[in-house]
Amino acid sequence: MYFFSYGKLFLVPLSVLFFLLILGTSGYHLIEGWNLLDSVYMTLITLTTVGFGETHPLSPQGQVFTIFLLMGGVLMYAFAINDFVHHLLKHNFKDFTQKMKMQKYINNLKDHFIIVGGGRMACVIGSNLEHFDQPFVFIEQSEGATLFQERPDWPHILKDALLDETLEEAGIDRAKGLACCLPTDADNLFVVLSARRMNPTLQIHTRIQYESSRMKMLQAGANHVISPNTLGGLQVARSFVHPDIESFLSVFRDTGMYEFDMKIEKMEEGSPRIGLPLREAKYREDRYLVIGIKKSGGRMVFAPPATYVLKMGDEVFLLGAEPEPVSDSESGIAGKPDS
């Protein structure tokens, strides 16, 4: 790509050089009456300013012609060098170094997230992953996308995500998750199919435009399907009917506006908390509250009692405690040990 760019850059100077070569050869032949070889030779040593002697003594007319030919050659070199340096410093060199750094970063990514698309939803995903210090890379083929208008510094691949080689370049075999945010359900479905085939353990989340596409996405291999239209409409309706509840739920959705942390701890082999009741699991010492537990069978237990015994496969939903300690009279919330 860069060689073609430089080729176009030198096209005009080379054309001017060829024109001066023809002009000089014809001029010496007509003015001095020299043969073709002597005329070409004299033109070349004049344009290249190598300082060799004249082929034959020049007439006054030939001297005047040589002066103008020499000036034309010098100007041609000056303009060519100026254009080349300007192009190199302002465009290609800067772009080349940035792309090389970005490509090296992408090649070294591991356990990262791939965001397919460069629209508004994709940028929101990128902002939140950046907030949680998670590595990610975008795939977007349109230079006019929102991504390149707002955050062109984010790692990205400017190619078609529907091609397998593009997903391979993004390191799909090393990735932890993939988010499909393309405008159409058909494109998202194609990416989900390709991604699931290339990485069977990949976490795939995709957006849909129409609810009729939900089952197709799940059958294609998506782990989670999101409809922005459905979620947005549900949130507005719920805020009308239950405004207080919606305000409370917004605290968990907009975690970036509040000083607390949320995480899920899975009880796996070797976990020191397996077999312990919640009162002895010491989550409070780590400044976390137990909001709920998802059992291995998929059933959710909200506000579990302090006597609940943690088992293999349980997923514990934890909410970060307040920065300042609270008194016993203020701590009547989920996960509080029984008195």
Side-chain angles (χ1 to χ4, degrees):
M1 179 175 62
Y2 296 98
F3 295 105
F4 288 117
S5 177
Y6 285 119
K8 293 179 181 179
L9 180 65
F10 285 113
L11 181 61
V12 174
L14 289 175
S15 300
V16 174
L17 179 61
F18 182 74
F19 171 76
L20 291 176
L21 180 61
I22 298 298
L23 179 65
T25 301
S26 302
Y28 286 122
H29 178 70
L30 295 176
I31 296 174
E32 301 294 342
W34 296 347
N35 59 40
L36 179 61
L37 179 60
D38 289 344
S39 299
V40 171
Y41 178 75
M42 184 62 186
T43 301
L44 287 176
I45 64 174
T46 302
L47 292 177
T48 55
T49 65
V50 294
F52 292 168
E54 300 169 355
T55 306
H56 302 289
L58 292 171
S59 64
Q61 295 87 345
Q63 291 176 345
V64 172
F65 177 77
T66 301
I67 291 174
F68 283 103
L69 183 64
L70 184 60
M71 291 175 60
V74 171
L75 289 175
M76 184 269 298
Y77 287 127
F79 282 119
I81 293 174
N82 178 73
D83 288 345
F84 173 74
V85 173
H86 181 269
H87 186 80
L88 182 66
L89 296 180
K90 186 176 181 180
H91 299 289
N92 287 56
F93 184 74
K94 181 180 178 180
D95 292 344
F96 180 79
T97 54
Q98 288 180 344
K99 289 182 178 180
M100 289 299 100
K101 289 180 180 178
M102 186 175 295
Q103 188 61 52
K104 183 179 179 180
Y105 173 82
I106 294 173
N107 291 339
N108 292 329
L109 284 176
K110 186 178 181 181
D111 293 331
H112 59 289
F113 297 93
I114 301 173
I115 305 173
V116 179
R120 183 67 57 187
M121 180 177 179
C123 290
V124 171
I125 296 173
S127 296
N128 282 274
L129 290 177
E130 185 179 49
H131 174 74
F132 291 108
D133 198 26
Q134 295 294 316
F136 59 89
V137 59
F138 283 86
I139 300 178
E140 172 58 53
Q141 65 174 340
S142 174
E143 294 183 352
T146 304
L147 168 66
F148 301 115
Q149 304 301 320
E150 297 186 355
R151 292 298 302 269
D153 58 308
W154 276 344
H156 61 268
I157 299 174
L158 191 62
K159 292 182 180 179
D160 187 359
L162 302 183
L163 302 177
D164 286 356
E165 50 265 33
T166 304
L167 295 176
E168 291 175 354
E169 185 176 342
I172 192 170
D173 57 321
R174 310 183 306 274
K176 180 188 295 184
L178 179 141
C180 293
C181 305
L182 296 175
T184 67
D185 290 351
D187 288 345
N188 284 324
L189 180 63
F190 192 90
V191 173
V192 170
L193 284 168
S194 300
R196 178 56 66 210
R197 174 178 54 82
M198 300 172 72
N199 188 342
T201 62
L202 187 69
Q203 282 288 323
I204 302 177
H205 293 208
T206 182
R207 60 163 289 176
I208 55 173
Q209 188 175 6
Y210 302 104
E211 278 296 324
S212 58
S213 302
R214 182 179 298 274
M215 188 56 63
K216 298 183 181 69
M217 294 294 184
L218 293 173
Q219 292 174 345
N223 299 99
H224 193 50
V225 181
I226 302 168
S227 172
N229 296 329
T230 301
L231 290 178
L234 178 62
Q235 182 178 340
V236 171
R238 193 164 49 196
S239 65
F240 285 150
V241 179
H242 302 294
D244 295 335
I245 295 178
E246 183 61 26
S247 297
F248 179 76
L249 292 176
S250 67
V251 173
F252 297 94
R253 286 196 303 267
D254 306 328
T255 54
M257 300 173 59
Y258 302 92
E259 295 183 355
F260 63 80
D261 184 26
M262 290 190 300
K263 70 176 184 178
I264 294 178
E265 180 178 346
K266 188 171 183 178
M267 296 296 106
E268 298 176 331
E269 186 176 355
S271 174
R273 291 189 169 105
I274 293 180
L276 295 178
L278 285 178
R279 65 159 54 95
E280 299 178 15
K282 299 183 179 180
Y283 283 114
R284 290 303 298 269
E285 294 184 8
D286 295 335
R287 307 190 65 77
Y288 279 99
L289 301 176
V290 178
I291 301 300
I293 296 176
K294 182 179 180 181
K295 300 176 70 64
S296 58
R299 188 170 68 89
M300 288 291 301
V301 178
F302 293 100
T307 56
Y308 180 89
V309 178
L310 295 172
K311 304 175 183 62
M312 177 78 72
D314 285 352
E315 297 182 15
V316 185
F317 179 30
L318 301 171
L319 180 66
E322 296 176 347
E324 296 294 333
V326 296
S327 62
D328 292 340
S329 60
E330 296 175 327
S331 59
I333 51 179
K336 178 182 180 296
D338 295 337
S339 56

